[in-house]
Amino acid sequence: MRPLIERAIEIFSRIPAGWALLGVFLFPALETGLVLGLILPGETAVVLGGVLASTGRIPLWAAAAVGVAGAVAGDCAGYFMGRRYGDEIFRGFPMMRPGEPRVQRLVARFGAYAAFGVRFLIGLRIAGPIAMGAARMPPWKYSPANLFGAITWSTIFSLAGYVFGEAFSAALSHARHYEEAAFAALAV
């Protein structure tokens, strides 16, 4: 697992800052907006944005802000697709069908709070905006709750990446220190 994480951070840190921020925007946007969340989990890019911020290449607030923008853009696209094509989408993507009744129950029970909450539930995060649109949740209820959920979600994951990035860099520097000492001992 360590080499995979190292490699992802290495690749992401080589990308010019503007392109990295574009990636932090696109992953969450495509997650729901094009129903690609099972392939492209949005929090991966937001966490990597936080890691990149921990190196000083981009500001932490920028990673969090573009994560919010991507999440809101993707969720709004999913919501409005659900209002227009909800039943057809659920028929066309059978893997999403189990999420629809769960989201419908959440909407019936919690209303707009469901729009906030599904952001944190991986399987429902993809189906949620579509199901809420199909359920005809009013946009004036959906949008503020979705925005607050996206702000909270992006802040948590970008901060986690920031903290993890600092810890990961520290762990690597300690490992390199011990690695150099081990090689010096072997050389003697």
PDB file of all heavy atoms in Angstrom, residues 110-132:
ATOM      1  N   PHE A 110     -35.949  12.943   6.515  1.00  0.00           N
ATOM      2  CA  PHE A 110     -35.103  14.059   6.938  1.00  0.00           C
ATOM      3  C   PHE A 110     -35.190  15.294   6.043  1.00  0.00           C
ATOM      4  O   PHE A 110     -34.572  16.306   6.356  1.00  0.00           O
ATOM      5  CB  PHE A 110     -33.642  13.608   7.025  1.00  0.00           C
ATOM      6  CG  PHE A 110     -33.420  12.516   8.026  1.00  0.00           C
ATOM      7  CD1 PHE A 110     -33.152  11.223   7.606  1.00  0.00           C
ATOM      8  CD2 PHE A 110     -33.481  12.780   9.379  1.00  0.00           C
ATOM      9  CE1 PHE A 110     -32.940  10.213   8.524  1.00  0.00           C
ATOM     10  CE2 PHE A 110     -33.273  11.772  10.313  1.00  0.00           C
ATOM     11  CZ  PHE A 110     -33.009  10.486   9.875  1.00  0.00           C
ATOM     12  N   GLY A 111     -35.867  15.209   4.916  1.00  0.00           N
ATOM     13  CA  GLY A 111     -35.993  16.357   4.030  1.00  0.00           C
ATOM     14  C   GLY A 111     -34.653  16.850   3.522  1.00  0.00           C
ATOM     15  O   GLY A 111     -33.810  16.072   3.088  1.00  0.00           O
ATOM     16  N   ALA A 112     -34.443  18.159   3.632  1.00  0.00           N
ATOM     17  CA  ALA A 112     -33.217  18.769   3.114  1.00  0.00           C
ATOM     18  C   ALA A 112     -31.968  18.283   3.845  1.00  0.00           C
ATOM     19  O   ALA A 112     -30.878  18.295   3.271  1.00  0.00           O
ATOM     20  CB  ALA A 112     -33.305  20.289   3.191  1.00  0.00           C
ATOM     21  N   TYR A 113     -32.115  17.819   5.095  1.00  0.00           N
ATOM     22  CA  TYR A 113     -30.951  17.290   5.802  1.00  0.00           C
ATOM     23  C   TYR A 113     -30.357  16.087   5.064  1.00  0.00           C
ATOM     24  O   TYR A 113     -29.161  15.820   5.176  1.00  0.00           O
ATOM     25  CB  TYR A 113     -31.314  16.883   7.233  1.00  0.00           C
ATOM     26  CG  TYR A 113     -31.694  18.052   8.106  1.00  0.00           C
ATOM     27  CD1 TYR A 113     -32.988  18.188   8.582  1.00  0.00           C
ATOM     28  CD2 TYR A 113     -30.755  19.032   8.444  1.00  0.00           C
ATOM     29  CE1 TYR A 113     -33.340  19.266   9.388  1.00  0.00           C
ATOM     30  CE2 TYR A 113     -31.101  20.108   9.235  1.00  0.00           C
ATOM     31  CZ  TYR A 113     -32.398  20.219   9.701  1.00  0.00           C
ATOM     32  OH  TYR A 113     -32.738  21.286  10.491  1.00  0.00           O
ATOM     33  N   ALA A 114     -31.201  15.383   4.316  1.00  0.00           N
ATOM     34  CA  ALA A 114     -30.708  14.243   3.534  1.00  0.00           C
ATOM     35  C   ALA A 114     -29.716  14.716   2.473  1.00  0.00           C
ATOM     36  O   ALA A 114     -28.743  14.024   2.173  1.00  0.00           O
ATOM     37  CB  ALA A 114     -31.863  13.488   2.886  1.00  0.00           C
ATOM     38  N   ALA A 115     -29.957  15.895   1.899  1.00  0.00           N
ATOM     39  CA  ALA A 115     -29.045  16.434   0.883  1.00  0.00           C
ATOM     40  C   ALA A 115     -27.668  16.701   1.492  1.00  0.00           C
ATOM     41  O   ALA A 115     -26.650  16.542   0.823  1.00  0.00           O
ATOM     42  CB  ALA A 115     -29.612  17.710   0.274  1.00  0.00           C
ATOM     43  N   PHE A 116     -27.644  17.099   2.751  1.00  0.00           N
ATOM     44  CA  PHE A 116     -26.373  17.273   3.449  1.00  0.00           C
ATOM     45  C   PHE A 116     -25.740  15.916   3.740  1.00  0.00           C
ATOM     46  O   PHE A 116     -24.565  15.693   3.476  1.00  0.00           O
ATOM     47  CB  PHE A 116     -26.591  18.034   4.769  1.00  0.00           C
ATOM     48  CG  PHE A 116     -25.358  18.111   5.624  1.00  0.00           C
ATOM     49  CD1 PHE A 116     -24.438  19.120   5.430  1.00  0.00           C
ATOM     50  CD2 PHE A 116     -25.104  17.165   6.611  1.00  0.00           C
ATOM     51  CE1 PHE A 116     -23.292  19.201   6.212  1.00  0.00           C
ATOM     52  CE2 PHE A 116     -23.968  17.227   7.395  1.00  0.00           C
ATOM     53  CZ  PHE A 116     -23.061  18.250   7.196  1.00  0.00           C
ATOM     54  N   GLY A 117     -26.521  14.987   4.255  1.00  0.00           N
ATOM     55  CA  GLY A 117     -25.999  13.721   4.741  1.00  0.00           C
ATOM     56  C   GLY A 117     -25.493  12.763   3.685  1.00  0.00           C
ATOM     57  O   GLY A 117     -24.507  12.063   3.912  1.00  0.00           O
ATOM     58  N   VAL A 118     -26.132  12.714   2.519  1.00  0.00           N
ATOM     59  CA  VAL A 118     -25.695  11.740   1.512  1.00  0.00           C
ATOM     60  C   VAL A 118     -24.302  12.045   0.984  1.00  0.00           C
ATOM     61  O   VAL A 118     -23.636  11.153   0.469  1.00  0.00           O
ATOM     62  CB  VAL A 118     -26.693  11.576   0.337  1.00  0.00           C
ATOM     63  CG1 VAL A 118     -28.032  11.081   0.813  1.00  0.00           C
ATOM     64  CG2 VAL A 118     -26.833  12.852  -0.457  1.00  0.00           C
ATOM     65  N   ARG A 119     -23.834  13.241   1.157  1.00  0.00           N
ATOM     66  CA  ARG A 119     -22.481  13.612   0.728  1.00  0.00           C
ATOM     67  C   ARG A 119     -21.443  12.735   1.424  1.00  0.00           C
ATOM     68  O   ARG A 119     -20.382  12.480   0.893  1.00  0.00           O
ATOM     69  CB  ARG A 119     -22.270  15.102   1.059  1.00  0.00           C
ATOM     70  CG  ARG A 119     -20.879  15.579   1.114  1.00  0.00           C
ATOM     71  CD  ARG A 119     -20.113  15.775  -0.158  1.00  0.00           C
ATOM     72  NE  ARG A 119     -20.815  16.072  -1.332  1.00  0.00           N
ATOM     73  CZ  ARG A 119     -20.408  15.681  -2.548  1.00  0.00           C
ATOM     74  NH1 ARG A 119     -19.299  14.982  -2.691  1.00  0.00           N
ATOM     75  NH2 ARG A 119     -21.076  15.979  -3.606  1.00  0.00           N
ATOM     76  N   PHE A 120     -21.761  12.249   2.629  1.00  0.00           N
ATOM     77  CA  PHE A 120     -20.807  11.481   3.421  1.00  0.00           C
ATOM     78  C   PHE A 120     -21.013   9.968   3.315  1.00  0.00           C
ATOM     79  O   PHE A 120     -20.309   9.215   3.968  1.00  0.00           O
ATOM     80  CB  PHE A 120     -20.889  11.917   4.888  1.00  0.00           C
ATOM     81  CG  PHE A 120     -20.548  13.369   5.053  1.00  0.00           C
ATOM     82  CD1 PHE A 120     -21.535  14.337   5.033  1.00  0.00           C
ATOM     83  CD2 PHE A 120     -19.227  13.773   5.170  1.00  0.00           C
ATOM     84  CE1 PHE A 120     -21.225  15.680   5.146  1.00  0.00           C
ATOM     85  CE2 PHE A 120     -18.909  15.112   5.286  1.00  0.00           C
ATOM     86  CZ  PHE A 120     -19.908  16.069   5.271  1.00  0.00           C
ATOM     87  N   LEU A 121     -21.970   9.545   2.502  1.00  0.00           N
ATOM     88  CA  LEU A 121     -22.265   8.122   2.340  1.00  0.00           C
ATOM     89  C   LEU A 121     -21.882   7.722   0.925  1.00  0.00           C
ATOM     90  O   LEU A 121     -22.585   8.051  -0.032  1.00  0.00           O
ATOM     91  CB  LEU A 121     -23.749   7.856   2.609  1.00  0.00           C
ATOM     92  CG  LEU A 121     -24.257   8.344   3.970  1.00  0.00           C
ATOM     93  CD1 LEU A 121     -25.768   8.245   4.043  1.00  0.00           C
ATOM     94  CD2 LEU A 121     -23.606   7.560   5.092  1.00  0.00           C
ATOM     95  N   ILE A 122     -20.786   6.992   0.800  1.00  0.00           N
ATOM     96  CA  ILE A 122     -20.169   6.760  -0.501  1.00  0.00           C
ATOM     97  C   ILE A 122     -21.149   6.263  -1.560  1.00  0.00           C
ATOM     98  O   ILE A 122     -21.275   6.850  -2.608  1.00  0.00           O
ATOM     99  CB  ILE A 122     -18.944   5.826  -0.369  1.00  0.00           C
ATOM    100  CG1 ILE A 122     -17.858   6.551   0.408  1.00  0.00           C
ATOM    101  CG2 ILE A 122     -18.420   5.416  -1.747  1.00  0.00           C
ATOM    102  CD1 ILE A 122     -16.677   5.707   0.770  1.00  0.00           C
ATOM    103  N   GLY A 123     -21.860   5.197  -1.328  1.00  0.00           N
ATOM    104  CA  GLY A 123     -22.780   4.682  -2.343  1.00  0.00           C
ATOM    105  C   GLY A 123     -23.930   5.631  -2.627  1.00  0.00           C
ATOM    106  O   GLY A 123     -24.350   5.797  -3.770  1.00  0.00           O
ATOM    107  N   LEU A 124     -24.437   6.268  -1.571  1.00  0.00           N
ATOM    108  CA  LEU A 124     -25.567   7.174  -1.741  1.00  0.00           C
ATOM    109  C   LEU A 124     -25.151   8.527  -2.287  1.00  0.00           C
ATOM    110  O   LEU A 124     -25.984   9.255  -2.816  1.00  0.00           O
ATOM    111  CB  LEU A 124     -26.317   7.342  -0.417  1.00  0.00           C
ATOM    112  CG  LEU A 124     -26.957   6.075   0.133  1.00  0.00           C
ATOM    113  CD1 LEU A 124     -27.680   6.387   1.426  1.00  0.00           C
ATOM    114  CD2 LEU A 124     -27.902   5.457  -0.873  1.00  0.00           C
ATOM    115  N   ARG A 125     -23.875   8.870  -2.162  1.00  0.00           N
ATOM    116  CA  ARG A 125     -23.408  10.157  -2.675  1.00  0.00           C
ATOM    117  C   ARG A 125     -23.613  10.252  -4.182  1.00  0.00           C
ATOM    118  O   ARG A 125     -23.871  11.317  -4.723  1.00  0.00           O
ATOM    119  CB  ARG A 125     -21.941  10.366  -2.312  1.00  0.00           C
ATOM    120  CG  ARG A 125     -21.424  11.699  -2.761  1.00  0.00           C
ATOM    121  CD  ARG A 125     -20.062  12.037  -2.220  1.00  0.00           C
ATOM    122  NE  ARG A 125     -19.056  11.062  -2.549  1.00  0.00           N
ATOM    123  CZ  ARG A 125     -18.260  10.490  -1.649  1.00  0.00           C
ATOM    124  NH1 ARG A 125     -18.378  10.769  -0.377  1.00  0.00           N
ATOM    125  NH2 ARG A 125     -17.354   9.630  -2.026  1.00  0.00           N
ATOM    126  N   ILE A 126     -23.535   9.121  -4.856  1.00  0.00           N
ATOM    127  CA  ILE A 126     -23.704   9.099  -6.304  1.00  0.00           C
ATOM    128  C   ILE A 126     -25.182   9.117  -6.669  1.00  0.00           C
ATOM    129  O   ILE A 126     -25.623   9.912  -7.491  1.00  0.00           O
ATOM    130  CB  ILE A 126     -23.006   7.865  -6.894  1.00  0.00           C
ATOM    131  CG1 ILE A 126     -21.518   7.910  -6.564  1.00  0.00           C
ATOM    132  CG2 ILE A 126     -23.225   7.779  -8.401  1.00  0.00           C
ATOM    133  CD1 ILE A 126     -20.824   6.578  -6.694  1.00  0.00           C
ATOM    134  N   ALA A 127     -25.957   8.247  -6.030  1.00  0.00           N
ATOM    135  CA  ALA A 127     -27.388   8.131  -6.351  1.00  0.00           C
ATOM    136  C   ALA A 127     -28.217   9.239  -5.710  1.00  0.00           C
ATOM    137  O   ALA A 127     -29.288   9.576  -6.211  1.00  0.00           O
ATOM    138  CB  ALA A 127     -27.909   6.771  -5.888  1.00  0.00           C
ATOM    139  N   GLY A 128     -27.728   9.797  -4.603  1.00  0.00           N
ATOM    140  CA  GLY A 128     -28.514  10.757  -3.828  1.00  0.00           C
ATOM    141  C   GLY A 128     -29.022  11.959  -4.598  1.00  0.00           C
ATOM    142  O   GLY A 128     -30.238  12.209  -4.616  1.00  0.00           O
ATOM    143  N   PRO A 129     -28.151  12.736  -5.237  1.00  0.00           N
ATOM    144  CA  PRO A 129     -28.651  13.903  -5.961  1.00  0.00           C
ATOM    145  C   PRO A 129     -29.643  13.538  -7.071  1.00  0.00           C
ATOM    146  O   PRO A 129     -30.629  14.244  -7.285  1.00  0.00           O
ATOM    147  CB  PRO A 129     -27.384  14.532  -6.548  1.00  0.00           C
ATOM    148  CG  PRO A 129     -26.301  14.086  -5.628  1.00  0.00           C
ATOM    149  CD  PRO A 129     -26.695  12.694  -5.210  1.00  0.00           C
ATOM    150  N   ILE A 130     -29.391  12.429  -7.740  1.00  0.00           N
ATOM    151  CA  ILE A 130     -30.304  11.995  -8.807  1.00  0.00           C
ATOM    152  C   ILE A 130     -31.658  11.623  -8.210  1.00  0.00           C
ATOM    153  O   ILE A 130     -32.711  12.045  -8.707  1.00  0.00           O
ATOM    154  CB  ILE A 130     -29.687  10.816  -9.588  1.00  0.00           C
ATOM    155  CG1 ILE A 130     -28.415  11.282 -10.295  1.00  0.00           C
ATOM    156  CG2 ILE A 130     -30.688  10.244 -10.593  1.00  0.00           C
ATOM    157  CD1 ILE A 130     -27.557  10.161 -10.847  1.00  0.00           C
ATOM    158  N   ALA A 131     -31.633  10.857  -7.119  1.00  0.00           N
ATOM    159  CA  ALA A 131     -32.882  10.438  -6.474  1.00  0.00           C
ATOM    160  C   ALA A 131     -33.637  11.631  -5.898  1.00  0.00           C
ATOM    161  O   ALA A 131     -34.875  11.679  -5.957  1.00  0.00           O
ATOM    162  CB  ALA A 131     -32.595   9.411  -5.391  1.00  0.00           C
ATOM    163  N   MET A 132     -32.901  12.610  -5.345  1.00  0.00           N
ATOM    164  CA  MET A 132     -33.576  13.788  -4.802  1.00  0.00           C
ATOM    165  C   MET A 132     -34.215  14.620  -5.900  1.00  0.00           C
ATOM    166  O   MET A 132     -35.288  15.177  -5.715  1.00  0.00           O
ATOM    167  CB  MET A 132     -32.597  14.610  -3.977  1.00  0.00           C
ATOM    168  CG  MET A 132     -32.272  13.943  -2.678  1.00  0.00           C
ATOM    169  SD  MET A 132     -31.092  14.900  -1.737  1.00  0.00           S
ATOM    170  CE  MET A 132     -30.290  13.575  -0.865  1.00  0.00           C
TER     171      MET A 132
END
